[in-house]
Amino acid sequence: MDSLEPQFDILIVGAGLAGLFCALECKRQGFSPIILELRKDLEQPVGDFITIGPTACRAFSKWPTLYEAFRKAAYDTSIYYHKQNGEIGAGPRKVSESFGWMVLRPDLHKALMDTVLAYGIEVRYRQHVVEFLEKDDKAGVKLADGEVLHADIVIAADGIRSRSWTIVGGVEPRTYSSGSAIFRCAYSTSLAMEIPSIRTNWNLQEKGETLHIFLGPVSHGVMLVGKEKICWAWMHRDDGTTSQESWSAKISNSTTRQQLDADGEWSPEFLSVVDKTPANSIIHWKLVWRDMQQTWTSPGGRVVQIGDAAHAFLPSSGNGGTQALEDAVSLACCLRIAIDRQGSAGIPTATRIHNTLRLERVSFIQQVGFKRRHAYYNIDWEAVKKDPSIVAMEPQKWLYEHDPEKYARERFEECRDCLETGKVFVNTNKPEHYTFTPWTVADLEAGKI
């Protein structure tokens, strides 16, 4: 980095959910972020549905227009748990507020982008970041065309393929195949309602919006019936020939059906929804594990990772989006506190405190996702009849009652003192019984954690 004069306060790399909401939270805290996005535009975001937990929903409420758009788009669902053949084993059960809300990823992305633009936050497209930089008290990025942009801080919100690891940790996160993949798709509900059994059994006027989980011995399917879109997914064993961690990894309808048929007797309604899927619409998403990253900040503390760049979750974990949004709130708050007290010199303190406040909570949730990956398999349906909570897996209070901004404000000084003196900082945003230990995927597979 030749020039040390910052051009912007904050650069955020990536205009996904984490990057967009981080920009909003930075704006709310009084900063002037600029977002750098690789794609040429964000007119047609892709994806199916995502679950947003109560902690993130409350954070949205501080942005009234965003919150209104989110709640309008969110599904108001009842859940049914089915045996693989379609027989109902439990439900309907109204989704509780402790669970959060399901929403189509494109709808949420649009609501965030509309809010970003409404508040005058600049988004620069076709910005291919190839290198993250740090020197003395400045940070920056190098673009593919050779241009270098400088700032007081760079926030890497560019997901699992972020190049920020070159300066954060210095070692590319190791990946492991989980042995599983997901077929996933969303298409018009009106098309699905052409199926007689869907129109009769899951009529929206009578049943409302519904979520169906079909549980097999070694795989499970999901079908979300909403007013505008129907989403379906099937988590299955993977041979690795066609799946990728990419929204562009498509698979044909016929191949999808062949694999489903080879896996046992599935619900006729679930199969009919799969068969009705428009051609070239099914994504084959590879489920990949990554070792935990204990450090999310660069040596100088001016490059920091959030969301999947810092802590990737499997889509089946159901919590990755929420934790990315919590990151945005926590980091922006820590930056505000530190800069108010130390000016730009406080940025490294802010990023390290944010890392410390968030690490143990996120690490535990990652572990839960790993350990639950087969929780739906080999269900004892007789036990479920007596206790439906066996399949419900309701979240605990420590997870859904957390307020990342309040936590940052209340624990900032104590955490800073511990970091400066070497004392042990005790987080309280996690289960009381949990003692953090660094882990690898191999440790989890071996049952060591």
Side-chain angles (χ1 to χ4, degrees), residues 281-298:
S281 299
I282 302 173
I283 307 298
H284 197 189
W285 191 279
K286 189 179 187 67
L287 299 179
V288 175
W289 286 112
R290 288 169 172 81
D291 290 337
M292 69 149 289
Q293 296 171 239
Q294 192 165 351
T295 301
W296 307 340
T297 63
S298 58

Side-chain angles (χ1 to χ4, degrees), residues 83-320:
K83 298 179 182 180
Q84 183 175 356
N85 64 7
E87 179 184 341
I88 296 176
R93 181 180 67 85
K94 198 67 178 175
V95 174
S96 68
E97 291 193 5
S98 64
F99 182 81
W101 299 88
M102 286 168 281
V103 63
L104 288 175
R105 185 181 290 268
D107 289 347
L108 177 56
H109 195 277
K110 183 179 185 304
L112 286 165
M113 177 56 76
D114 287 348
T115 309
V116 161
L117 297 178
Y119 280 85
I121 298 173
E122 183 179 354
V123 182
R124 296 186 176 186
Y125 298 103
R126 300 180 187 270
Q127 303 292 294
H128 184 188
V129 173
V130 295
E131 187 177 359
F132 289 77
L133 308 168
E134 181 178 64
K135 183 178 180 181
D136 300 329
D137 60 348
K138 299 294 180 286
V141 296
K142 183 177 182 180
L143 305 180
D145 62 5
E147 183 181 4
V148 174
L149 304 177
H150 305 295
D152 293 307
I153 179 175
V154 174
I155 300 171
D158 47 345
I160 56 176
R161 294 180 178 82
S162 175
R163 295 289 299 170
S164 57
W165 64 264
T166 59
I167 197 168
V168 176
V171 178
E172 186 171 9
R174 186 175 177 183
T175 60
Y176 307 79
S177 172
S178 69
S180 299
I182 297 181
F183 294 145
R184 52 199 305 185
C185 182
Y187 64 91
S188 172
T189 299
S190 61
L191 184 60
M193 286 299 163
E194 294 176 3
I195 305 167
S197 61
I198 298 297
R199 187 171 60 251
T200 300
N201 296 331
W202 307 115
N203 185 284
L204 285 162
Q205 282 69 41
E206 295 178 8
K207 302 286 187 178
E209 295 178 312
T210 53
L211 175 68
H212 305 267
I213 302 176
F214 303 90
L215 305 175
V218 294
S219 65
H220 69 271
V222 177
M223 182 174 71
L224 178 60
V225 183
K227 293 182 178 67
E228 302 295 331
K229 297 284 186 179
I230 188 165
C231 305
W232 67 265
W234 179 47
M235 183 174 174
H236 58 278
R237 291 172 293 188
D238 180 39
D239 62 10
T241 56
T242 60
S243 61
Q244 300 176 43
E245 278 188 305
S246 171
W247 292 109
S248 62
K250 302 291 182 67
I251 191 167
S252 69
N253 294 36
S254 59
T255 301
T256 299
R257 182 58 190 267
Q258 288 171 7
Q259 293 196 31
L260 274 164
D261 289 343
D263 199 65
E265 182 186 354
W266 284 93
S267 157
E269 292 173 349
F270 182 61
L271 292 177
S272 66
V273 168
V274 172
D275 290 342
K276 198 71 172 178
T277 303
N280 200 39
S281 299
I282 302 173
I283 307 298
H284 197 189
W285 191 279
K286 189 179 187 67
L287 299 179
V288 175
W289 286 112
R290 288 169 172 81
D291 290 337
M292 69 149 289
Q293 296 171 239
Q294 192 165 351
T295 301
W296 307 340
T297 63
S298 58
R302 289 183 178 270
V303 177
V304 59
Q305 301 168 324
I306 64 171
D308 280 349
H311 44 74
F313 285 78
L314 289 186
S316 56
S317 298
N319 218 291

